[in-house]
Amino acid sequence: AQSVTQLDSQVPVFEEAPVELRCNYSSSVSVYLFWYVQYPNQGLQLLLKYLSGSTLVKGINGFEAEFNKSQTSFHLRKPSVHISDTAEYFCAVSDPQAGTALIFGKGTTLSVSS
Amino acid sequence: KAGVTQTPRYLIKTRGQQVTLSCSPISGHRSVSWYQQTPGQGLQFLFEYFSETQRNKGNFPGRFSGRQFSNSRSEMNVSTLELGDSALYLCASSLDPGGYNEQFFGPGTRLTVL
């Protein structure tokens, strides 16, 4: 079965610093990969997705992620964070062959302080 | 275009009762998925509906059930509530199933079981 591991449960950073949120997935077959963000008391919002093609994916709010098939990773990065980026971030995977729904990681809480 | 709406937003029930949660997808979206979010287990997939048929089901007991209507609106029901059912229940809609379509999430229904 598919699984997703988000290696850091909490990441504290200062405003304008770069950040990387790490995500590894278990499958060796082709998968679709997603990053979602959840602000307090809200649902999830899609940041970016990888379906195929270029391994560097750009998303909203200045975020980008790099798909690495050999390391089965899909790390999320932002070169300079803002206070407003404080939220919980979820990495998710789906298997197009199996037709499964999204499998989420446990989430990473990004806390940006001034 | 209106987003995914979930009703009610908050619900308090006692053990042994049953509860029905409602989800209205984005207009034109035919696939609806349900997720349970708890601090301990994170986001877990409950089930997915497409064209009034359950397409996928997560690893939850039979007390959790759902259905989808011809207008794509969906309901989920939890019978014989347990304390551990306290969670944020999120509904997501997409154009079609298949994993590559973006899922749009509603704000969730927060269920508290006393």
Side-chain angles (χ1 to χ4, degrees):
Chain A
Q2 295 277 358
S3 67
V4 177
T5 302
Q6 291 185 241
L7 296 156
D8 306 293
S9 59
Q10 297 194 12
V11 174
V13 293
F14 288 108
E15 196 173 19
E16 297 183 8
V19 71
E20 178 180 80
L21 306 183
R22 297 180 292 168
C23 171
N24 285 90
Y25 62 96
S26 63
S27 176
S28 59
V29 301
S30 294
V31 294
Y32 298 141
L33 293 157
F34 306 80
W35 275 99
Y36 282 84
V37 61
Q38 185 177 33
Y39 299 102
N41 298 315
Q42 294 186 29
L44 277 68
Q45 180 185 8
L46 181 69
L47 279 175
L48 47 79
K49 62 182 177 183
Y50 172 80
L51 304 181
S52 64
S54 173
T55 57
L56 184 62
V57 181
K58 293 191 183 296
I60 62 171
N61 301 341
F63 284 94
E64 63 180 33
E66 185 151 21
F67 169 62
N68 188 318
K69 187 174 182 179
S70 62
Q71 297 186 9
T72 59
S73 68
F74 191 54
H75 300 334
L76 181 71
R77 301 186 184 101
K78 186 170 182 178
S80 176
V81 295
H82 304 291
I83 298 284
S84 58
D85 292 323
T86 295
E88 191 153 18
Y89 292 79
F90 293 93
C91 181
V93 63
S94 72
D95 183 343
Q97 298 301 321
T100 59
L102 290 172
I103 306 299
F104 285 89
K106 296 280 192 184
T108 297
T109 301
L110 175 64
S111 300
V112 183
S113 55
S114 57
Chain B
K1 190 183 274 191
V4 177
T5 57
Q6 292 186 245
T7 56
R9 289 292 311 277
Y10 302 91
L11 208 48
I12 298 175
K13 293 285 188 179
T14 56
R15 280 180 298 173
Q17 288 186 307
Q18 74 163 15
V19 67
T20 299
L21 312 181
S22 180
C23 171
S24 293
I26 291 172
S27 177
H29 285 194
R30 299 185 296 166
S31 177
V32 174
S33 298
W34 288 89
Y35 297 86
Q36 181 195 65
Q37 185 177 21
T38 59
Q41 298 299 318
L43 276 155
Q44 293 185 285
F45 169 69
L46 279 157
F47 23 65
E48 178 187 23
Y49 286 89
F50 175 69
S51 294
E52 303 179 64
T53 301
Q54 188 178 88
R55 190 170 173 272
N56 278 307
K57 189 178 191 303
N59 189 23
F60 278 82
R63 300 185 297 107
F64 290 82
S65 63
R67 59 178 176 169
Q68 186 181 33
F69 301 96
S70 58
N71 62 357
S72 295
R73 190 177 70 84
S74 178
E75 288 181 347
M76 67 163 282
N77 184 277
V78 188
S79 62
T80 320
L81 284 166
E82 300 177 0
L83 295 178
D85 298 332
S86 294
L88 181 67
Y89 290 88
L90 291 164
C91 165
S93 77
S94 61
L95 282 169
D96 296 295
Y100 50 84
N101 286 305
E102 177 180 353
Q103 291 199 14
F104 293 81
F105 283 80
T109 294
R110 185 163 297 281
L111 171 64
T112 301
V113 182
L114 303 176

